Amino acid sequence: MLNKNKYNFDEKINRKGTNCTKYDGLKKYFGYEDLNPLWVADMDFKTPAFINDEIIKAAQNSVYGYSIDDEQTYNAIISWQNIRHNWQIEQKDIYMINGVVPAYSACIEAYSEIDDEVIVQTPVYPPLFKSVKANNRKVVINKLKEKNGYYTMDLEDLKSKITKKTKILCLCSPHNPVGRVWNKQELEELAKICIENNIIIVSDEIHSDITFKKFTPLASISEEIANITITLNSAGKTFNIAGLNCSYAISKNKEILNRFKEVAQKREINSVNFFGYISTKAAYQNGAIYVDELKQYLKENMEFTQDFLLENCPNINFLLPEATYLLWLNFKKTTLSHEEIKNKLLTQSKVALNDGVSFGSNGYSYFRLNVALPKDALMVALEDISKSFK
């Protein structure tokens, strides 16, 4: 049967020697160069032509000076959020910035004082707690509950840890690395606690378009929840344009957004890459079919990985994620220590995965694997892993 898909995700792209962190940073971050890299959360797929063509068109002018946002960029974001997620926002609710992580750090400064408390729900994307410490705030850990690989929020633990100094809750939605898409009820229950305690929620929703079940933007649920929320997002993960450094913050609360703007301007993170505006606009104007086909390919890669491990290496397991292209591999059945697992992956399997410990203390015996690569290349990596962990 002929492949009727418009986009080819099986094409292999040579990224070595392109100043690519995932490939050219192996020696720096892992101590070895001869590793198969399945770590950094970007994709080994070509950025689609409808974005690349616009970048080339802009480059033909041969001037790369300072850039400014335009109404078309805002309209593209507004339309995308409305059509894909049924979230109605306006241009006045949006503020363009050069990255979700810099914006997140700015939020810590904007909504809290030195020595105030910020809640993070581990295991979670490392900058969410590293930025808290860098801003001289106190990290309060609210560990997710895990049962048979499925993670839920521990709201009783959350409530027990809130004090008068607790100012911010950092939400990762969808969650990286455990792959949860929080449902509306979970989000409502979380928000209710934050409303009662005057806690602002900073919601990182950068993976919101790579979901395999209904995604609900937190701030879309109600006016009351929107009033305590600032949302951080970008087209970077979905369209593989993270290196172009274009993101945006959204809040319906004018005061919350203005406080963020003040810090963003002080930190000079409101100047977006020349190609960032161009690529974001093109992505949201033309990307619907691409995203649908991408998600189908990623889902097949995940299912293939699950079947492969079950047949060839049953002592490594994971629950199929509800979002992202990242697998939270559980190595506990190997009975090896975390360091032993890490050493085998690097020296025997020759693969680079993200170390679970970097996501929090409940990441021991876990490693994160990125399946956003051609299936043939994924198979090679899985075979190398299975040989070391039979």
Side-chain angles (χ1 to χ4, degrees):
M1 182 180 293
L2 293 175
N3 187 343
K4 296 181 180 180
N5 286 348
K6 184 175 181 179
Y7 299 97
N8 178 18
F9 299 104
D10 289 318
E11 182 182 359
K12 293 183 180 179
I13 312 297
N14 183 10
R15 300 181 66 190
K16 291 182 179 179
T18 62
N19 291 332
C20 164
T21 299
K22 182 186 271 185
Y23 287 81
D24 299 325
L26 288 170
K27 179 70 173 178
K28 177 180 178 180
Y29 291 102
F30 292 91
Y32 301 90
E33 290 181 322
D34 58 338
L35 302 177
N36 195 343
L38 289 85
W39 60 303
V40 175
D42 63 18
M43 302 187 289
D44 286 347
F45 306 135
K46 270 188 177 178
T47 297
F50 56 80
I51 294 176
N52 211 39
D53 289 348
E54 290 299 314
I55 290 174
I56 292 170
K57 179 181 176 182
Q60 288 173 342
N61 198 40
S62 300
V63 177
Y64 309 106
Y66 297 113
S67 54
I68 190 170
D69 53 9
D70 61 12
E71 192 168 346
Q72 287 184 329
T73 302
Y74 288 105
N75 288 341
I77 294 170
I78 291 166
S79 177
W80 184 267
Q81 292 296 339
N82 182 26
I83 294 170
R84 303 295 289 197
H85 304 301
N86 194 31
W87 186 18
Q88 285 74 48
I89 56 175
E90 301 175 69
Q91 182 170 330
K92 66 180 178 62
D93 305 325
I94 307 169
Y95 191 67
M96 305 301 298
I97 29 85
N98 63 19
V100 164
V101 173
Y104 170 72
S105 180
C107 286
I108 302 300
E109 179 180 348
Y111 310 127
S112 63
E113 303 292 338
I114 290 175
D115 294 329
D116 278 343
E117 298 169 349
V118 179
I119 296 172
V120 296
Q121 299 174 302
T122 61
V124 75
Y125 180 54
L128 266 65
F129 46 82
K130 290 181 179 178
S131 292
V132 178
K133 295 177 181 178
N135 281 283
N136 298 311
R137 274 63 167 173
K138 180 183 176 183
V139 177
V140 176
I141 301 294
N142 171 225
K143 291 184 179 180
L144 300 177
K145 295 190 293 186
E146 182 268 332
K147 184 177 181 180
N148 298 323
Y150 189 76
Y151 286 81
T152 55
M153 297 186 198
D154 190 342
L155 298 183
E156 292 305 313
D157 176 73
L158 172 65
K159 287 187 284 188
S160 74
K161 290 179 174 176
I162 293 173
T163 73
K164 290 182 180 180
K165 293 182 73 66
T166 309
K167 305 299 182 183
I168 301 169
L169 181 136
C170 300
L171 178 67
C172 195
S173 177
H175 195 278
N176 170 14
V178 307
R180 275 300 317 278
V181 173
W182 308 116
N183 61 48
K184 185 179 178 182
Q185 181 180 345
E186 289 174 301
L187 293 172
E188 286 175 331
E189 291 174 352
L190 176 72
K192 183 175 184 292
I193 295 169
C194 293
I195 291 168
E196 291 172 349
N197 291 278
N198 297 313
I199 295 171
I200 291 176
I201 301 177
V202 180
S203 187
D204 173 359
E205 300 185 4
I206 197 169
H207 289 282
S208 57
D209 292 313
I210 309 176
T211 56
F212 309 106
K213 60 181 292 188
K214 178 177 171 52
F215 170 77
T216 303
L218 175 68
S220 73
I221 296 175
S222 70
E223 184 178 345
E224 189 177 27
I225 294 174
N227 200 46
I228 63 159
T229 303
I230 183 165
T231 303
L232 307 178
N233 210 334
S234 169
K237 297 295 184 187
T238 309
F239 296 94
N240 214 22
I241 52 175
L244 297 181
N245 298 105
C246 183
S247 303
Y248 51 94
I250 302 172
S251 184
K252 291 283 187 179
N253 184 318
K254 185 177 180 180
E255 181 186 352
I256 284 178
L257 193 60
N258 283 342
R259 285 164 64 186
F260 172 78
K261 287 180 182 180
E262 289 176 5
V263 177
Q265 290 165 9
K266 182 184 81 172
R267 294 185 174 207
E268 300 288 355
I269 64 169
N270 58 319
S271 180
V272 175
N273 184 296
F274 172 70
F275 293 119
Y277 285 125
I278 293 164
S279 59
T280 296
K281 179 166 56 179
Y284 286 151
Q285 287 177 337
N286 304 290
I289 294 174
Y290 173 83
V291 172
D292 292 341
E293 292 188 7
L294 170 68
K295 291 200 296 184
Q296 182 58 41
Y297 192 90
L298 293 173
K299 187 177 181 181
E300 290 172 2
N301 270 4
M302 291 174 180
E303 291 171 347
F304 171 76
T305 302
Q306 189 174 59
D307 290 343
F308 181 94
L309 292 177
L310 185 62
E311 181 178 348
N312 299 281
C313 199
N315 54 359
I316 304 173
N317 58 81
F318 68 94
L319 194 68
L320 283 172
E322 299 169 343
T324 82
Y325 43 76
L326 307 165
L327 305 182
W328 190 232
L329 299 185
N330 183 347
F331 286 77
K332 290 180 180 178
K333 288 184 179 179
T334 66
T335 70
L336 299 171
S337 72
H338 188 85
E339 285 303 314
E340 287 172 330
I341 297 165
K342 183 177 179 179
N343 186 59
K344 287 190 92 171
L345 287 169
L346 292 175
T347 63
Q348 296 182 28
S349 301
K350 292 290 185 179
V351 296
L353 308 184
N354 288 98
D355 190 329
V357 172
S358 67
F359 296 84
S361 62
N362 45 347
Y364 280 92
S365 298
Y366 288 88
F367 288 80
R368 194 187 73 174
L369 184 148
N370 180 344
V371 298
L373 70 166
K375 188 167 294 178
D376 287 349
L378 175 62
M379 184 183 298
V380 170
L382 293 175
E383 287 174 346
D384 289 339
I385 292 172
S386 68
K387 290 173 185 175
S388 304
F389 291 92
K390 282 188 177 295

